[in-house]
Amino acid sequence: MKKNIINRVLTILIFVFLTISCSKNKENKKILFITTNVSELKNEPNGTYLIELAIPFKKFSENSLDIDIVSPKGGKIPIYHSGDTTSLVKSIIQNELFIDKTENSLKPLDIDPKEYIAVIIPGGYGQFWDTHKNKNLLHIISEIYDFGGIIGSIGHGTATLIDVKLKSGEFLVKNKTMTSFPSWNEKKYNETIRLW
């Protein structure tokens, strides 16, 4: 009889523990996109590069992950692209969730790093001007990484990672191999801007 009661109590405790664990995992299925508020560079439209935001946004939302977008100032984020967009991208930018999130980005102080399992930093030249030096954004990236989160960047988004310091005092990028646009591409782009 005592053995049955002990088994039942243990079973209930295990069930409660698993329920709490699973619900915590569900709560932490959020992805944070870090975007820029810079809308113009050398009198040309700029901001976050559309395809680098739209495609991962769609993939994560299709997999039942909650998405937040944060920018240094919050509010509507500038988005730009060059050339024609695919029908896939056109469908994403008409999606209500995408519109809502890109028109109402959060400010860094609105973010609790413990809520996120990953950070995605899409590119756009604006990342060189405001996100990479925003101490609050750099702290958010550091915290999410220190909590075991995944950090990903696309294109020029890599620039935002350069000055991220971890709790240990080490730079996030120390002893890591990173990919980014090659120097020759940046020089070519800057020469093109000067010609305009």
Side-chain angles (χ1 to χ4, degrees):
M1 182 86 163
K2 274 189 176 181
K3 194 174 182 182
N4 282 345
I5 292 171
I6 290 171
N7 283 341
R8 282 184 189 168
V9 170
L10 285 175
T11 303
I12 290 168
L13 286 174
I14 290 170
F15 179 78
V16 169
F17 175 77
L18 288 173
T19 303
I20 291 168
S21 296
C22 289
S23 65
K24 280 187 179 176
N25 287 340
K26 271 188 177 177
E27 288 171 14
N28 282 350
K29 288 199 170 184
K30 291 177 81 174
I31 307 290
L32 183 65
F33 281 78
I34 295 179
T35 61
T36 177
N37 289 119
V38 174
S39 60
E40 197 176 275
L41 184 64
K42 303 267 187 177
N43 298 317
E44 290 294 316
N46 214 279
T48 298
Y49 197 65
L50 175 61
I51 197 166
E52 296 174 5
L53 172 64
I55 299 296
F57 187 100
K58 178 177 172 56
K59 292 295 177 187
F60 290 129
S61 59
E62 282 177 346
N63 284 286
S64 302
L65 293 163
D66 290 331
I67 296 167
D68 281 331
I69 296 177
V70 65
S71 63
K73 297 177 184 174
K76 186 172 182 176
I77 60 165
I79 300 173
Y80 77 107
H81 73 281
S82 56
D84 292 332
T85 55
T86 64
S87 57
L88 173 64
V89 173
K90 286 177 183 173
S91 72
I92 297 166
I93 60 177
Q94 294 169 359
N95 177 286
E96 284 183 31
L97 180 64
F98 184 84
I99 293 168
D100 178 56
K101 294 291 184 176
T102 56
E103 289 187 356
N104 301 289
S105 75
L106 301 170
K107 293 179 182 175
L109 294 177
D110 298 329
I111 300 298
D112 179 358
K114 292 176 185 166
E115 294 181 4
Y116 300 91
I117 59 170
V119 173
I120 303 297
I121 312 167
Y125 279 94
Q127 296 280 352
F128 291 149
W129 302 102
D130 63 353
T131 58
H132 83 286
K133 59 185 177 182
N134 185 292
K135 289 180 182 176
N136 292 324
L137 287 176
L138 301 183
H139 179 71
I140 289 167
I141 296 167
S142 171
E143 289 277 294
I144 293 173
Y145 183 83
D146 279 330
F147 290 139
I150 296 167
I151 310 297
S153 65
I154 306 166
H156 294 93
T158 306
T160 298
L161 298 176
I162 300 303
D163 289 325
V164 175
K165 275 193 176 178
L166 304 174
K167 281 183 188 171
S168 65
E170 299 283 353
F171 284 100
L172 170 69
V173 297
K174 184 178 179 182
N175 298 324
K176 293 184 176 64
T177 302
M178 299 175 68
T179 57
S180 59
F181 281 98
S183 296
W184 62 262
N185 184 71
E186 298 305 314
K187 289 175 185 171
K188 181 180 173 185
Y189 178 79
N190 287 325
E191 285 169 16
T192 306
I193 286 177
R194 271 190 234 106
L195 292 174
W196 287 342

